[in-house]
Amino acid sequence: MSTPYPFTAIVGQDDLRLGLLLNAVSPAVGGVLVRGEKGTAKSTAVRALAALMPEVPVVPGCRFSCDPGSPDPACPDGPHAEAAGVSRAARTVELPVGASEDRLVGALDIERALSEGVKAFEPGLLADAHRGILYVDEVNLLHDHLVDLLLDAAAMGASYVEREGVSVRHAARFLLVGTMNPEEGELRPQLLDRFGLTVEVSASRDTDERVEVVRRRLAYDDDPEGFAARWAEEEGALRERIAAARVLLPRVVLSDGVLRQIAATCAAFEVDGMRADIVMARTATALAAWAGREEVTADDVRQAALLALPHRRRRNPFDAPGLDEDKLDQTLDEAGPQEDGSDDDPDPGPDGGGDGGGGGGVPPQADGDRTPPSASQSDDTSSPAPESAPDTPGRPAGGEQQPVAAAEPFRTKMLSVPGLGEGAAGRRSRARTEHGRTTGAVRPQGALTKLHLAATVQAAAPHQRARGRSGRGLVVRRDDLRQATREGREGNLVLFVVDASGSMAARQRMSAVKGAVLSLLLDAYQRRDKVGLVTFRGKEADVALPPTSSVDAAAARLESLPTGGRTPLAAGLLKAHDVLRVERLRDPSRRPLLVVVTDGRATGGPEPVALAGRAGRLHRSEGTASVVVDCESGYVRLGLAGELARELGGTAVTLDELRAESIAGLVKDVTAAGRAA
């Protein structure tokens, strides 16, 4: 087993270390979600935490780590006779992103259950993590059904495996730690709320600190055991401090005045439900115990708010998590008794020095709660810019214009890819999935995961006499087992191709276009799609955002999109073709949906319209489902967007028709066009 990097050797990242240590002191806090860019010691810190946790007494031979002082009466390995327990180190169990449901919750031996009537259960990762740490790296990339199982177990303290009438239940209480890079996509708000605390991490910009990080890492890589030995004294002191804080925790007093401050803070930031209040109370209590105090102070409440509320106050998928610290201080001053802590010693940080009582959570927002780029900003009071005239071959390209704000987003109905796919689980197009309605049965190619009971019994029934059946049990062989086939929904790659040329540059038109694309991005966020953004203007097309799961990154690129110049429509379609070609190699099971946002005009070069038509037919020949959002306005309309849609084999819809109340027939049109192609 490799020697973990010492927790006390981590440079900086005070909020990260404090959030983890508070959960070590009080697991009831509910875990921590670590958000930050790659290479910021997220995984290193989580793996190092296990070495600081107190040893766990367990029943000898129990696969579910039962406490000998109070064994689980429903333990599958029980009942346990009274016996002396043994101690072992706390475990850190890692849940891989690609894990199966059976690997997470465990698996029943279906063949033995049917033929012998016994509960032959193989424990999963939840059983291994009981009374330890369950670490999920890149938790935002975990499949939805696994996240649901994981968080249900974290909330109930138990895992239930029920399949074909056979039920197994075992205790599963663990410290849940998730890490994620926001650039790769966000967690759903309801899942964010299930993490007790959240911390933001980023690489230091201080030269001396970066040098020290590299120096320590190189020393560790050269001699892990020797490096850990040099930090053994600091590790021991921190381990003793955690143990002392655990002993002190039950004696910490949470006064009515402090509870009033907690409730007022949660109400002021308009968080949903009561979980935030409870988490703040537990966190403030843990902070007091960590500081060696038996009473919670206003500073503890402030620190708890900075750790427990940022991820809960998001009102929109594109809002950045964070708190307005001025508003927080004002709320704390107005609620509850006033406390003067100027004469008190500051709360030591997790490394034994520094100020651990303030400045946690995330950096404050400069203007308080961030306003979504689409909201309120569309009411521009400045004089509108005149609409740019279409470019002609003899006219130089128009100058670049400043980006305009998006109009207010609206609800759209679902655009789906025709046919039946097999991509990643999502909420858009029909697909064969592990979860959904049962549509049939097949012989399993590998391990059996979803038994089709009726088909299995039907396959085994004709052979019972030949197999010498004499008892009540059904004689089942491996060849009799049938795997259930199920149909659900998949996530798609929605690739936006946006016309940013001079013909689109009028302030009101581009604002409406951005509002429409932002609305579709919101829809993609809710349906768990990957998104990409290609723009074309001037002489060429650019990949403004390669395909990613981070929908808010696409919204940010859209917000700063400049306009002006000629309309190289063919270049935009060809660039989109290149992007889709590469993505088919990377993820062949994820089907694309091409959304072209343009007025259909094409300028620049010889025969630009014909060239755009040939590029459209290239997409059609490969069966790419497509929608053209027609942005043409005015009394005289050329209908070029409709011609482009026909070349693509898709359908055209105007900006007005894109709204939910007007888009009812669009899915049928897309499906019919895809089948005709």
Side-chain angles (χ1 to χ4, degrees):
M1 182 177 179
S2 61
T3 303
Y5 191 91
F7 191 89
T8 51
I10 297 172
V11 179
Q13 307 297 11
D14 293 341
D15 294 337
L16 168 60
R17 293 187 293 163
L18 181 60
L20 292 173
L21 289 170
L22 291 177
N23 276 275
V25 171
S26 176
V29 167
V32 58
L33 175 65
V34 186
R35 297 165 44 92
E37 58 195 27
K38 50 188 175 292
T40 49
K42 300 189 299 293
S43 300
T44 299
V46 175
R47 296 187 179 104
L49 180 65
L52 302 175
M53 302 285 284
E55 289 192 340
V56 179
V58 297
V59 174
C62 178
R63 297 174 298 168
F64 301 88
S65 301
C66 279
D67 186 347
S70 57
D72 181 6
C75 177
D77 284 355
H80 298 297
E82 292 186 7
V86 297
S87 295
R88 61 162 174 79
R91 294 173 180 165
T92 296
V93 177
E94 296 191 31
L95 173 60
V97 171
S100 66
E101 180 180 337
D102 287 344
R103 184 71 185 99
L104 176 62
V105 300
L108 292 168
D109 188 332
I110 300 298
E111 186 172 351
R112 290 190 62 191
L114 287 175
S115 60
E116 303 175 26
V118 297
K119 297 179 181 179
F121 181 69
E122 185 66 28
L125 295 176
L126 291 180
D128 293 341
H130 179 46
R131 305 175 69 200
I133 301 172
L134 183 61
Y135 171 46
V136 188
D137 193 13
E138 305 295 351
V139 64
N140 52 324
L141 303 182
L142 203 63
H143 286 228
D144 284 352
H145 68 281
L146 292 182
V147 174
D148 293 338
L149 290 170
L150 175 65
L151 295 177
D152 284 345
M156 296 185 295
S159 175
Y160 294 85
V161 183
E162 298 188 10
R163 186 171 299 169
E164 316 304 342
V166 181
S167 176
V168 173
R169 175 260 181 210
H170 64 84
R173 294 184 296 275
F174 45 81
L175 170 57
L176 177 62
V177 181
T179 60
M180 59 175 284
N181 183 351
E183 295 178 355
E184 297 172 342
E186 287 284 357
L187 278 174
R188 302 196 309 269
Q190 60 268 37
L191 301 185
L192 280 171
D193 186 55
R194 300 303 290 270
F195 284 94
L197 309 179
T198 184
V199 293
E200 292 276 346
V201 295
S202 60
S204 173
R205 297 298 180 256
D206 180 79
T207 302
D208 293 337
E209 192 167 296
R210 294 175 73 96
V211 168
E212 185 62 23
V213 170
V214 175
R215 182 183 291 115
R216 293 186 186 183
R217 186 69 209 190
L218 293 178
Y220 170 77
D221 291 341
D222 290 340
D223 183 10
E225 291 80 7
F227 184 82
R230 290 195 292 274
W231 289 88
E233 184 176 348
E234 289 83 354
E235 291 282 286
L238 190 57
R239 191 178 297 109
E240 292 177 0
R241 186 176 176 186
I242 292 174
R246 282 192 168 194
V247 172
L248 180 62
L249 185 66
R251 303 201 301 269
V252 175
V253 176
L254 195 67
S255 67
D256 290 342
V258 169
L259 281 174
R260 178 172 291 276
Q261 286 183 313
I262 291 173
T265 301
C266 292
F269 286 98
E270 300 180 351
V271 296
D272 295 329
M274 296 298 298
R275 184 174 286 118
D277 304 62
I278 297 171
V279 171
M280 273 190 64
R282 290 172 174 168
T283 305
T285 304
L287 281 163
W290 178 245
R293 288 183 274 101
E294 294 188 3
E295 185 174 354
V296 177
T297 67
D299 287 340
D300 295 329
V301 175
R302 184 182 192 278
Q303 181 72 52
L306 291 170
L307 292 171
L309 296 188
H311 60 304
R312 291 186 166 90
R313 60 148 293 276
R314 295 183 60 180
R315 315 306 299 177
N316 184 292
F318 303 146
D319 287 347
L323 290 182
D324 181 352
E325 293 198 30
D326 291 337
K327 180 179 178 180
L328 174 60
D329 291 335
Q330 181 181 355
T331 302
L332 292 175
D333 288 341
E334 294 174 352
Q338 300 294 322
E339 295 185 12
D340 183 9
S342 58
D343 295 330
D344 295 335
D345 291 335
D347 180 17
D351 57 356
D355 184 8
V362 298
Q365 300 290 324
D367 55 351
D369 294 351
R370 178 174 176 256
T371 302
S374 58
S376 75
Q377 299 176 13
S378 60
D379 298 329
D380 198 330
T381 57
S382 60
S383 57
E387 180 169 345
S388 302
D391 293 323
T392 60
R395 176 178 175 175
E400 182 176 304
Q401 300 188 18
Q402 292 296 324
V404 298
E408 185 175 355
F410 50 85
R411 184 185 176 191
T412 67
K413 285 193 175 180
M414 182 173 61
L415 306 177
S416 64
V417 178
L420 190 65
E422 297 180 347
R427 299 179 178 179
R428 185 172 296 277
S429 304
R430 294 174 54 232
R432 299 183 185 90
T433 60
E434 291 187 0
H435 296 268
R437 63 184 182 90
T438 301
T439 58
V442 296
R443 290 179 181 270
Q445 299 299 317
L448 180 70
T449 57
K450 297 292 182 182
L451 178 74
H452 195 296
L453 181 58
T456 299
V457 172
Q458 186 176 7
H463 308 290
Q464 296 305 295
R465 180 175 297 178
R467 293 173 182 173
R469 174 187 172 186
S470 57
R472 298 175 59 185
L474 189 67
V475 182
V476 179
R477 303 282 170 80
R478 174 67 187 177
D479 291 342
D480 301 328
L481 300 180
R482 294 295 183 269
Q483 176 87 18
T485 58
R486 303 191 177 190
E487 182 178 311
R489 293 282 175 177
E490 67 176 359
N492 297 110
L493 167 59
V494 182
L495 182 61
F496 295 93
V497 182
V498 180
D499 185 348
S501 64
S503 63
M504 298 281 291
R507 178 175 295 274
Q508 292 182 350
R509 181 189 296 185
M510 200 61 201
S511 177
V513 168
K514 286 187 175 182
V517 177
L518 189 65
S519 303
L520 292 170
L521 283 172
L522 282 166
D523 182 68
Y525 168 83
Q526 295 166 352
R527 301 193 187 282
R528 312 293 286 173
D529 294 317
K530 291 181 68 174
V531 297
L533 179 62
V534 173
T535 64
F536 58 93
R537 57 183 289 272
K539 296 182 180 180
E540 59 185 14
D542 295 312
V543 181
L545 183 72
T548 176
S549 297
S550 180
V551 176
D552 54 346
R557 300 293 174 87
L558 180 70
E559 183 180 2
S560 60
L561 179 66
T563 57
R566 297 185 183 275
T567 313
L569 177 57
L573 295 174
L574 292 175
K575 181 69 71 174
H577 179 267
D578 291 340
V579 171
L580 294 180
R581 177 178 55 82
V582 173
E583 285 302 307
R584 285 190 180 98
L585 296 175
R586 290 177 177 172
D587 190 358
S589 64
R590 189 181 290 270
R591 297 184 296 162
L593 175 63
L594 186 68
V595 179
V596 185
V597 185
T598 181
D599 57 8
R601 297 179 180 179
T603 60
E607 300 182 346
V609 177
L611 185 59
R614 289 197 293 272
R617 290 192 292 274
L618 179 62
H619 284 280
R620 180 175 183 174
S621 67
E622 296 183 352
T624 303
S626 60
V627 176
V628 178
V629 180
D630 185 359
C631 303
E632 193 173 28
S633 61
Y635 294 106
V636 179
R637 302 197 177 198
L638 303 178
L640 296 176
E643 290 291 339
L644 176 62
R646 283 188 284 274
E647 298 287 7
L648 286 165
T651 187
V653 58
T654 65
L655 287 174
D656 291 336
E657 293 170 340
L658 195 59
R659 297 181 179 273
E661 61 270 17
S662 304
I663 201 174
L666 184 56
V667 174
K668 294 182 179 179
D669 293 340
V670 174
T671 304
R675 290 174 177 169

